[in-house]
Amino acid sequence: MSRTTPKRLAIDVRSALAKAGDARTAARGLTFFKPNDDVRLYGIKSSCVRNIEKEAYGKIREEWSVEDAVAFYDLMSRDTHFEGTMVGVLLLGRFKSQFRKGMLATVKRWITDGRFRNWAAIDGLAPTLLTPLVTTYPDLASRVGEWTSSRNMWLRRAAVVTFVPLARKGMQLDRAYMIVEDLLDDVHDLMHKACGWLLRETGKADARRLEQFLLIHGPRIPRTTVRYAIERFPQRKRKSLLVKTRG
């Protein structure tokens, strides 16, 4: 049997995605984005996307290396539909045990090149590719953290979301707080939500530290960020923190 090349698999996957697409599902999906967001959808439920990726991986799991998976993602990223990009990301994530430090520069280039055009794409990329890199190579955490100063909002959001799964486990909490503090003056609503999400996860590991952070920086923290951050607190505590952080 001949080897399945990245090009052959990309053709097969695109065909499967197009066949599974549904216009009504796509229309519903677009309601989660703002009118000016750069997003195209086939209209496929996430469970179906994962099944298509799983089937694709089954064809190549015994014969591909991470280099093949990178080539496959590169081909899939040319499909401007969100679901196509996600299949590429998910399959590449299967090879995380083969990731090397240089992958960070590659992923950064993909983001700055515009391969990831909306918040959903970034939120799929970061935990699948960047979090494993930072977990395997902790010294990369500071380099990802430096993205908070980028003019590219998607790099900034990727820096935040990368640490969400780690903060949830009580890992890299110092870095998580540094990232949020660096972004307190960010003007974009998508960043306010992302920072609130990250803070909420830090609170699962250390609620007292989260409360102290909110009280210290309260007047500078966007209200959206505060509301996201305190979601896990009891109602009485939430009401108190909303007042105390107002300044």
Coordinates of all heavy atoms in Angstrom, one line a residue, residues 215 223 226 230 237-247:
L215 N -8.1 43.1 44.1 CA -8.2 44.2 45.0 C -7.0 45.2 44.8 O -7.2 46.4 44.9 CB -8.2 43.8 46.5 CG -9.5 43.0 46.9 CD1 -9.3 42.4 48.3 CD2 -10.7 43.9 46.8
R223 N -14.0 46.1 33.5 CA -15.1 45.4 34.2 C -15.4 44.0 33.6 O -15.8 43.1 34.3 CB -16.3 46.3 34.1 CG -16.1 47.7 34.7 CD -15.5 47.7 36.1 NE -16.4 47.1 37.1 CZ -16.1 46.8 38.4 NH1 -14.8 46.9 38.7 NH2 -17.0 46.4 39.2
V226 N -13.0 41.6 35.2 CA -13.4 41.4 36.6 C -14.6 40.4 36.6 O -14.5 39.4 37.4 CB -13.8 42.6 37.3 CG1 -14.3 42.3 38.7 CG2 -12.6 43.6 37.4
I230 N -14.3 36.5 38.4 CA -15.0 36.2 39.7 C -16.1 35.2 39.6 O -16.9 34.9 40.5 CB -15.5 37.5 40.4 CG1 -16.6 38.1 39.6 CG2 -14.4 38.4 40.7 CD1 -17.2 39.4 40.2
K237 N -19.6 37.1 47.6 CA -18.2 37.6 47.3 C -18.1 38.3 46.0 O -17.4 39.3 45.8 CB -17.3 36.4 47.3 CG -15.8 36.7 47.0 CD -15.1 37.4 48.0 CE -14.8 36.5 49.2 NZ -14.0 37.3 50.2
R238 N -18.8 37.8 45.0 CA -18.8 38.5 43.7 C -19.3 39.9 43.8 O -18.7 40.8 43.2 CB -19.7 37.7 42.7 CG -19.2 36.3 42.3 CD -19.7 35.8 41.0 NE -21.2 35.8 41.0 CZ -21.9 34.8 41.4 NH1 -21.4 33.7 41.8 NH2 -23.2 34.8 41.3
K239 N -20.4 40.1 44.5 CA -21.0 41.4 44.6 C -20.0 42.3 45.4 O -19.9 43.5 45.0 CB -22.3 41.3 45.4 CG -23.5 40.7 44.6 CD -24.7 40.7 45.4 CE -25.9 40.1 44.6 NZ -27.2 40.1 45.3
S240 N -19.4 41.8 46.4 CA -18.4 42.6 47.1 C -17.2 43.0 46.3 O -16.8 44.2 46.3 CB -17.9 41.8 48.4 OG -16.9 42.5 49.0
L241 N -16.7 42.1 45.5 CA -15.5 42.4 44.7 C -15.9 43.4 43.5 O -15.1 44.2 43.1 CB -15.0 41.1 44.1 CG -14.2 40.2 45.1 CD1 -13.9 38.9 44.5 CD2 -12.9 41.0 45.5
L242 N -17.1 43.3 43.0 CA -17.5 44.2 42.0 C -17.5 45.6 42.5 O -17.2 46.6 41.8 CB -18.9 43.9 41.4 CG -19.0 42.7 40.5 CD1 -20.4 42.3 40.2 CD2 -18.2 43.1 39.2
V243 N -17.9 45.8 43.8 CA -17.9 47.1 44.4 C -16.4 47.6 44.7 O -16.0 48.7 44.4 CB -18.7 47.1 45.7 CG1 -18.6 48.5 46.4 CG2 -20.2 46.9 45.3
K244 N -15.7 46.7 45.3 CA -14.3 47.0 45.8 C -13.3 47.3 44.7 O -12.4 48.0 44.9 CB -13.8 46.0 46.7 CG -14.5 45.9 48.1 CD -14.0 44.7 48.9 CE -14.7 44.6 50.3 NZ -14.1 43.5 51.1
T245 N -13.6 46.7 43.5 CA -12.6 46.9 42.4 C -13.0 48.1 41.5 O -12.3 48.3 40.6 CB -12.6 45.6 41.6 OG1 -13.9 45.3 41.1 CG2 -12.0 44.4 42.3
R246 N -14.1 48.7 41.9 CA -14.5 49.8 41.0 C -13.6 51.1 41.1 O -13.5 51.8 40.2 CB -16.0 50.2 41.3 CG -16.7 51.1 40.3 CD -18.1 51.2 40.6 NE -18.8 49.9 40.2 CZ -19.8 49.4 40.9 NH1 -20.2 49.9 42.0 NH2 -20.4 48.2 40.5
G247 N -13.0 51.2 42.3 CA -12.1 52.4 42.5 C -12.8 53.7 42.8 O -14.0 53.7 43.0

